[in-house]
Amino acid sequence: MTTIDPSVPPSGTGCAECEAAGGWWVHLRRCATCGHVGCCDTSPEQHATAHFRSTGHAVVQSFEPGEDWFWDYDREVALSGPSLAPPSARPEAQPVPGPAGRVPADWRSKIH
């Protein structure tokens, strides 16, 4: 059974692992169980999926402005879910891909 905890805030404004390693991402996903923010499967490192695989936390929500959809990795289906603790998205001023200053000029050749 998947647990969604609406009270847990996001881990930050960017992918936790990419931030730690000085990397970059295309889009962000937020774990609905623990708040971990990871990068999407289009991103080079795919940290949101890696978080699911290592923790079993199956449900993520988009962490992009204007998006509120959820995804269940276990069942491979989109879901509806509750409002999660704020903030609900990365800062709108953060570019896509991001973060500013770390995205290589040839980024399109590095995505999935």
Side-chain angles (χ1 to χ4, degrees):
M1 167 144 182
T2 298
T3 302
I4 294 176
D5 186 344
S7 69
V8 177
S11 62
T13 60
C15 173
E17 291 83 3
C18 288
E19 290 284 26
W24 60 277
W25 54 82
V26 178
H27 294 115
L28 298 170
R29 308 294 178 240
R30 172 186 180 172
C31 177
T33 300
C34 73
H36 174 271
V37 175
C39 54
C40 71
D41 285 351
T42 303
S43 301
E45 301 298 329
Q46 304 175 338
H47 287 122
T49 297
H51 176 76
F52 156 63
R53 289 184 180 137
S54 70
T55 64
H57 298 170
V59 177
V60 294
Q61 184 180 40
S62 175
F63 200 57
E64 294 297 315
E67 297 181 0
D68 62 1
W69 54 264
F70 287 78
W71 179 256
D72 183 328
Y73 286 109
D74 274 336
R75 296 183 294 154
E76 296 185 351
V77 296
L79 305 171
S80 295
S83 294
L84 301 180
S88 61
R90 63 165 172 78
E92 287 196 41
Q94 187 181 91
V96 174
R102 293 205 314 242
V103 180
D106 64 343
W107 67 269
R108 284 181 179 85
S109 68
K110 300 180 183 314
I111 61 174
H112 299 271

